[in-house]
């Protein structure tokens, strides 16, 4: 028994020694890839947590260390020296401290600091700002790389989109998380385009909030009750019209259409909100109070759809040179019709998928899934994939 224990002890010591050597070698051979993080809100915080948790996997699998050089928000920017500083900055921001108020930070635009980063740096935009587009375009022009979860730069003017992705595509900008959080909706489209498989139609639901509302209507519940419940659960924006208006869905559909090579502006998307113009300018409390006035109409629409063997979905359709976003009645046995809850779904109808579409489905919202998509894009760019 004593001999067996001694042998086991020697084995464990040897295993620890080998592990230590491997870890040391791994650290020595890891290639650091610098990045700057624009945005340190909910997605930014999830990104930091996920990235730090992935250190060992990135080192072992890819020989990479994604090393943060700078974080920024709308107030200013802060140079980051190591993971401890990154974690501290994320914690301070979560506690309500703007970046500019953190020790050692600089107030104002980070443009000059981003320009000083190496050419292999990745500029990561997880903000919700419309002002970051110029920073991203400048990074691309310098030869740096860009990863974004922020859909606004990629759904702003066509010229901005073209400057970001390149014509022809240069492969230094990735934006998977602009459409469906971590879902590979953009990647699926890019593979279809690369295979020269002509895409005749894209249809999808790109809002977990509106998916929740549609599921409630299918269950026979009043529209006002569903919206108020969704707001109470934190599914909607503080003003639910930001979700019910369909503009967020329109931006995502526009990004996919541009991925096909279409030249369109956001104003070219036909968007039908889930509320009438008469409710558009009300205060939030007055809008919420007026919601029951819409219940009868939605009840009738849901019943008519059910009578035809269909159900309602708030969906986007990209086909025949047009982008339409609004309420649709779809077959119950279709991929869109079988969807429930807050999942997102995208259908691609192509030459090789003419009647049974290529479908990408799953959680299309949430800080964690969005952060996962961003990190995957960063690893691809760092590897030259």
């Amino acid at each position: 028994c004593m001999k067996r224990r001694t042998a086991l002890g020697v084995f464990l010591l040897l295993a620890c020694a080998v592990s230590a050597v491997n870890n040391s070698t791994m650290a020595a051979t890891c290639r650091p890839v610098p990045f700057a993080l624009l945005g340190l809100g909910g997605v930014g915080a999830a990104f930091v947590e996920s990235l730090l948790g992935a250190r060992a996997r990135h080192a072992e699998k890819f020989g990479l260390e994604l090393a943060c050089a700078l974080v920024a928000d709308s107030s200013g920017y802060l140079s980051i020296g190591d993971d401890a500083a990154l974690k501290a900055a994320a914690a301070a921001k979560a506690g309500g401290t703007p970046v500019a108020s953190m020790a050692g930070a600089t107030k104002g635009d980070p443009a000059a600091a981003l320009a000083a980063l190496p050419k292999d740096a990745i500029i990561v935009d997880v903000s919700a700002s419309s002002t970051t587009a110029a920073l991203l375009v400048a990074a691309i022009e310098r030869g740096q790389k860009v990863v974004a979860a922020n859909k606004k730069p990629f759904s702003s003017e066509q010229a901005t989109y073209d400057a970001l992705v390149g014509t022809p595509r240069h492969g230094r900008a990735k934006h998977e998380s602009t459409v469906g959080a971590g879902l590979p909706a953009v990647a699926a489209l890019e593979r279809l385009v690369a295979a020269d498989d002509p895409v005749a139609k894209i249809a999808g639901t790109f809002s977990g909030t509106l998916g929740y509302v549609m599921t409630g209507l299918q269950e026979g519940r009043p529209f006002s009750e569903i919206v108020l419940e969704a707001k109470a659960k934190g599914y909607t924006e503080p003003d639910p019209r930001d979700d019910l208006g369909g503009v967020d869905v329109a931006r995502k559909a526009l990004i996919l259409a541009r991925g096909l090579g279409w030249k369109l502006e956001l104003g070219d998307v036909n968007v039908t909100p889930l509320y009438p113009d008469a409710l558009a300018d009300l205060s939030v409390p007055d809008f919420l109070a007026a919601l029951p006035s819409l219940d009868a109409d939605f009840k009738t629409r849901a019943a008519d759809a059910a009578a035809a063997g269909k159900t309602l979905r708030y969906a986007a359709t990209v086909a025949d040179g047009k982008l339409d976003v609004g309420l649709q009645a779809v077959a119950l046995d279709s991929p869109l019709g079988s969807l429930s809850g807050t999942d997102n779904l995208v259908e691609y109808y192509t030459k090789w998928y003419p009647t049974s579409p290529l479908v990408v489905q799953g959680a299309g919202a949430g800080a964690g899934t969005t952060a996962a998509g961003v990190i995957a894009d960063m690893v691809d760019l760092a590897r030259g994939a």
Side-chain angles (χ1 to χ4, degrees):
C1 183
M2 182 61 70
K3 288 182 179 179
R4 285 199 297 270
R5 289 179 182 176
T6 302
L8 178 60
V10 171
F11 173 79
L12 291 175
L13 285 172
L14 286 172
C16 287
V18 170
S19 177
V21 169
N22 287 342
N23 288 339
S24 176
T25 303
M26 190 182 301
T29 58
C30 248
R31 178 169 62 89
V33 178
F35 73 90
L37 181 64
L38 308 181
L40 205 53
V43 175
F47 167 85
V48 170
E49 181 180 358
S50 297
L51 178 70
L52 298 183
R55 285 290 190 223
R57 174 58 60 87
H58 288 168
E60 178 184 0
K61 185 77 174 178
F62 307 112
L64 292 173
E65 180 190 357
L66 299 173
C68 187
L70 178 149
V71 296
D73 65 7
S74 59
S75 71
Y77 59 94
L78 174 68
S79 295
I80 298 294
D82 53 29
D83 284 352
L86 176 60
K87 189 173 182 180
K93 179 69 175 181
T97 302
V99 171
S101 298
M102 298 178 190
T106 302
K107 292 182 180 180
D109 194 313
L114 296 177
L117 294 178
K119 192 172 181 178
D120 66 338
I122 303 173
I123 312 305
V124 181
D125 184 1
V126 296
S127 73
S129 172
S130 59
T131 64
T132 58
L135 298 175
L136 303 186
V137 170
I140 291 295
E141 290 174 345
R142 286 191 297 268
Q144 294 172 331
K145 300 170 184 177
V146 164
V147 168
N150 181 5
K151 66 186 73 67
K152 291 180 180 177
F154 289 85
S155 60
S156 60
E157 295 78 10
Q158 178 73 50
T160 299
Y161 177 87
D162 289 341
L164 286 169
V165 303
T167 50
R169 303 296 174 95
H170 49 56
R172 289 186 288 110
K174 285 187 171 287
H175 56 284
E176 186 66 74
S177 292
T178 60
V179 173
L183 292 180
V186 174
L189 178 60
E190 288 177 344
R191 290 182 65 83
L192 293 171
V193 172
D196 194 27
D197 184 5
V199 179
K201 175 182 174 182
I202 301 173
T205 57
F206 302 110
S207 169
T209 300
L210 297 183
Y212 183 84
V213 172
M214 294 302 107
T215 298
L217 289 175
Q218 188 174 354
E219 293 170 348
R221 299 174 59 198
F223 178 74
S224 60
E225 176 185 296
I226 306 164
V227 173
L228 291 173
E229 181 179 87
K231 186 176 188 301
K233 289 185 174 183
Y235 291 168
T236 74
E237 297 294 329
D239 184 345
R241 283 169 293 193
D242 292 343
D243 298 288
L244 302 176
V247 175
D248 187 65
V249 175
R251 287 186 181 277
K252 296 174 180 180
L254 178 60
I255 290 170
L256 291 180
R258 286 176 170 175
L260 289 173
W262 292 15
K263 303 292 185 181
L264 292 171
E265 302 292 350
L266 187 59
D268 296 322
V269 185
N270 302 310
V271 184
T272 303
L274 288 175
Y275 58 86
D277 290 342
L279 303 188
D281 296 325
L282 298 180
S283 67
V284 174
D286 287 345
F287 173 75
L288 297 177
L291 279 174
S293 67
L294 308 180
D295 287 347
D297 180 54
F298 279 108
K299 182 178 180 180
T300 299
R301 292 193 197 189
D304 289 346
K310 297 182 177 182
T311 188
L312 297 178
R313 294 290 180 261
Y314 194 85
T317 302
V318 180
D320 301 321
K322 297 187 300 181
L323 275 72
D324 296 303
V325 174
L327 201 61
Q328 299 179 18
V330 301
L332 279 168
D333 60 355
S334 68
L336 284 176
S338 61
L339 195 66
S340 65
T342 58
D343 273 6
N344 284 4
L345 181 147
V346 190
E347 301 172 332
Y348 298 97
Y349 292 86
T350 75
K351 176 182 177 180
W352 302 119
Y353 301 92
T355 55
S356 180
L358 174 64
V359 175
V360 179
Q361 178 181 348
T369 52
T370 302
V374 169
I375 292 172
D377 274 352
M378 292 174 69
V379 170
D380 279 350
L381 284 180
R383 296 172 62 216

